[in-house]
Amino acid sequence: MKKAVLLFLYLIIGSTIYAQGPQHKWYAGTLYHTSGEIFDGLISWTPPRKGEYEDGDQVLYRADEKSEVFPIPYYKINSFVMGNDSIVVSHNVLFKNSPFMTVVLDNPTKLYTNKVMKNGFPLMINTGGFTGNVGMGVGVGTSVGGGVKTTYYYGISPDKVTKLEKKQFIEVMSTILADKPDVVAKIKDKTFRYGDMDDLINYYKTGQMPKKSYDY
């Protein structure tokens, strides 16, 4: 019994320490400043939590691994490239607290995602004492239900977008992807549905159908 409790305690504490450790992942990229300057180097950005910033968001920039880190607020950024992601700034008041939009498709009608971290629910686990109330009781804080909430938007620019709703999926995505009739056909015959956005975009870009579990 004691071994089981200790193992559980180590696992929880380990995951908690990991969660509280360094959160910044750095990617090679380019930042386009509102001054017209272009900065190549390393960029770090993660979707903000709801209420994390009173007004806007920021990106961390450094020239290389040994250089000083500079936080750059959204209002000094036109756009930035981070790894494979191209991200632009929306000045739409709807995105006041999360103005960065990832460009999914740069077509005449563009497709964007807006990402926000879910706060999750705080959870305190008390290990209590061991058998006979002998031993150490430890309260360990963690959270459940976190992750990233991704919402799709479409429009002619990041300032003028409309949220992609399930009831509009066939009409809107058929228009956005109209340059590839075979893709549109699979939208209309419901091969791809509202919940299959990642697979649909990958098929549009590569022509490869997603593998199902029974294909392996």
Side-chain angles (χ1 to χ4, degrees), residues 41-213:
L42 298 176
I43 293 176
S44 178
W45 172 76
T46 54
R49 296 184 182 278
K50 186 176 181 181
E52 181 175 356
Y53 298 105
E54 194 172 313
D55 181 21
D57 197 351
Q58 65 178 13
V59 166
L60 299 181
Y61 168 82
R62 63 199 306 185
D64 54 51
E65 292 180 355
K66 297 181 179 179
S67 299
E68 182 179 356
V69 176
F70 294 95
I72 304 179
Y74 79 97
Y75 55 82
K76 291 186 178 180
I77 300 171
N78 284 328
S79 63
F80 64 94
V81 176
M82 186 179 73
N84 295 323
D85 291 331
S86 178
I87 300 172
V88 294
V89 178
S90 175
H91 299 95
N92 189 315
V93 68
L94 292 175
F95 309 108
K96 176 182 177 182
N97 300 120
S98 54
F100 293 132
M101 307 281 282
T102 302
V103 182
V104 180
L105 293 173
D106 193 17
N107 293 358
T109 298
K110 306 179 191 308
L111 186 68
Y112 304 94
T113 57
N114 184 256
K115 299 181 179 182
V116 178
M117 291 290 291
K118 300 176 184 177
N119 287 326
F121 300 96
L123 178 65
M124 180 63 72
I125 300 174
N126 194 331
T127 63
F130 296 141
T131 304
N133 293 322
V134 178
M136 178 180 64
V138 179
V140 180
T142 183
S143 64
V144 296
V148 179
K149 178 183 179 181
T150 300
T151 307
Y152 285 87
Y153 293 85
Y154 62 96
I156 60 173
S157 77
D159 297 339
K160 298 180 180 180
V161 293
T162 301
K163 182 179 178 181
L164 179 62
E165 303 282 3
K166 185 175 182 179
K167 62 183 179 181
Q168 305 164 317
F169 172 75
I170 293 177
E171 178 185 356
V172 171
M173 293 309 297
S174 294
T175 300
I176 294 176
L177 308 181
D179 59 317
K180 293 190 177 181
D182 59 318
V183 178
V184 173
K186 291 190 181 299
I187 293 172
K188 292 184 175 180
D189 70 11
K190 298 184 179 181
T191 298
F192 294 106
R193 300 170 184 266
Y194 181 73
D196 303 321
M197 286 296 292
D198 287 345
D199 288 340
L200 171 58
I201 298 304
N202 184 66
Y203 178 65
Y204 174 78
K205 290 181 176 180
T206 68
Q208 299 295 315
M209 285 293 292
K211 289 188 176 182
K212 305 296 183 182
S213 59

